[in-house]
Amino acid sequence: MNQRGYVVEIVDNITAKIKMQKHSACASCGKCASSTDKKDIVVEVDNTIGAKVGDYVEVNMEAVDVVKAASIVYIVPLVALLGGTIVSYGILQYINISFNKELISAIVGICLTALSYVCIKKKDNEFRKSRKYIPVITKVVNQINI
C-alpha cells in the first residue's frame, strides 16, 4: 500500500510523523491521529532514509501487515466478546443457573473484551520495537501529489 504525504515531525533517528490523506483501507485502526478536517491523518513512520521536516515522501506498508494489524485491533476483541458471551452462557446453562444467564454472560463477554484491549495495549511496545506494523518511508519526492 503506497501513500504520499509530508513530514511534519522528526521523533527520533529512525521515526518521523507524516501528514497524509486518509486511505479507505486504513479505516481507523488507532495507529493514526486524525486531524480536525478528518481527511488528513498523522502517521508515525519508519524514517531510515533520513527525510526531514517539510519533505514530501512516499510511504509503503505491505498489505499483509495492514490486514494483520487490523485483525489484532478488531478481530481479537470481537472474538473475546462473542466467545466469552457464548461460552459463559453455555457453562451457565450446563450448570443449570437460572439467575440472569444473559446478563452474566454479557458481563463476562464485555470483561474479556476489555481484557483483550489491555493485552493489546501491553503488547504495543513490542509491536513498535519489531517495526513490522509501521509504514516505511521509501523515497523523498519533490512534487505535491497527495
Side-chain angles (χ1 to χ4, degrees):
M1 183 170 94
N2 287 332
Q3 287 284 103
R4 288 191 178 181
Y6 63 94
V7 180
V8 293
E9 180 183 343
I10 302 297
V11 178
D12 57 31
N13 291 341
I14 58 170
T15 309
K17 289 186 180 181
I18 67 165
K19 188 173 188 177
M20 61 187 199
Q21 283 188 342
K22 188 181 287 188
H23 192 276
S24 61
C26 292
S28 304
C29 74
K31 291 300 288 182
C32 308
S34 292
S35 64
T36 55
D37 61 8
K38 303 293 182 197
K39 289 182 187 175
D40 292 336
I41 54 175
V42 176
V43 183
E44 197 169 277
V45 297
D46 191 322
N47 183 22
T48 52
I49 68 167
K52 296 173 179 45
V53 174
D55 286 348
Y56 288 92
V57 294
E58 188 169 289
V59 181
N60 185 25
M61 185 170 181
E62 295 297 321
V64 172
D65 292 335
V66 172
V67 171
K68 286 180 185 176
S71 295
I72 291 168
V73 173
Y74 293 115
I75 303 299
V76 170
L78 180 63
V79 168
L81 175 66
L82 294 176
T85 303
I86 293 168
V87 170
S88 65
Y89 185 83
I91 291 171
L92 292 172
Q93 185 90 7
Y94 179 75
I95 60 175
N96 205 15
I97 301 280
S98 60
F99 175 73
N100 286 331
K101 286 183 283 199
E102 295 84 6
L103 180 63
I104 294 170
S105 61
I107 290 170
V108 169
I110 290 169
C111 289
L112 286 177
T113 302
L115 183 63
S116 73
Y117 279 121
V118 169
C119 290
I120 290 168
K121 184 64 178 164
K122 282 188 176 185
K123 296 280 258 177
D124 187 47
N125 284 334
E126 186 178 315
F127 293 140
R128 285 179 185 271
K129 286 179 185 172
S130 76
R131 303 193 76 78
K132 184 176 182 178
Y133 301 109
I134 295 178
V136 178
I137 295 177
T138 54
K139 66 181 176 180
V140 176
V141 293
N142 293 330
Q143 70 260 21
I144 302 173
N145 286 337
I146 301 176

